[in-house]
Amino acid sequence: MTTALSVRWDDFEAAFIIGSPDSRYFVNLDSGEVRYSSFLDDESVRNRGLAQTAQPHWVEIVRPTQADARAEVEVFIGAQKDDAVREALTKGYRERNPFMGFNKALGSFPDVRRGWATARMAGIHRRLLAFTKAHSVSIDDDRYRALLSPKSP
């Protein structure tokens, strides 16, 4: 049986963005409340939040890893049909800071940058949908419903 949740969409969606591995997100499967913990929180705030989210109905939203981020970038680069674009993105990605180099290279190709933004959002939404399916929840929000019935090309 699927449970309908009312959540603050932006907070819930943000939990599926590839970001700091020290950030932690939790959702209450009863109330829909979303909690966020950051490495910037002081220890007492972090401990208080972790104690609360250890209570029944709270589930941690597992964060994507750096390996997940690398895989998304590599798939995107590999999908580029233009050899010059693919080579420039690859070169940027091979820099000492791969994500910064990749983003810097994207700056030379505005259309490709827009394509990356679309691909990045698609990854966020794939993870979000996998989570809701795994926990048998649906989100009471039109943006969630739109993900379930994507527009035809």
Side-chain angles (χ1 to χ4, degrees), residues 3-125:
T3 303
L5 279 182
S6 178
V7 299
R8 287 180 49 181
W9 177 258
D10 293 336
D11 293 344
F12 186 67
E13 184 182 48
F16 300 93
I17 295 171
I18 295 173
S20 170
D22 299 319
S23 299
R24 296 177 72 186
Y25 282 83
F26 301 85
V27 64
N28 185 306
L29 296 179
D30 190 42
S31 70
E33 180 182 0
V34 176
R35 286 282 176 120
Y36 167 76
S37 170
S38 164
F39 70 95
L40 298 173
D41 294 338
D42 70 33
E43 190 173 347
S44 65
V45 169
R46 203 170 27 254
N47 289 340
R48 194 169 43 251
L50 291 174
Q52 181 184 15
T53 56
Q55 301 301 313
H57 305 291
W58 284 97
V59 174
E60 184 166 7
I61 298 171
V62 177
R63 302 284 292 164
T65 65
Q66 288 297 312
D68 296 329
R70 288 180 181 278
E72 282 191 11
V73 168
E74 290 165 6
V75 165
F76 182 78
I77 291 172
Q80 298 308 302
K81 305 241 185 292
D82 183 314
D83 291 342
V85 169
R86 193 172 50 258
E87 288 171 19
L89 296 179
T90 299
K91 181 180 177 190
Y93 186 63
R94 289 184 177 152
E95 289 184 9
R96 192 168 63 99
N97 183 329
F99 298 112
M100 187 177 289
F102 170 73
N103 278 301
K104 186 177 175 183
L106 278 173
S108 299
F109 307 100
D111 290 341
V112 177
R113 179 176 283 287
R114 281 189 287 281
W116 169 244
T118 299
R120 187 171 172 258
M121 284 306 296
I124 292 165
H125 293 151

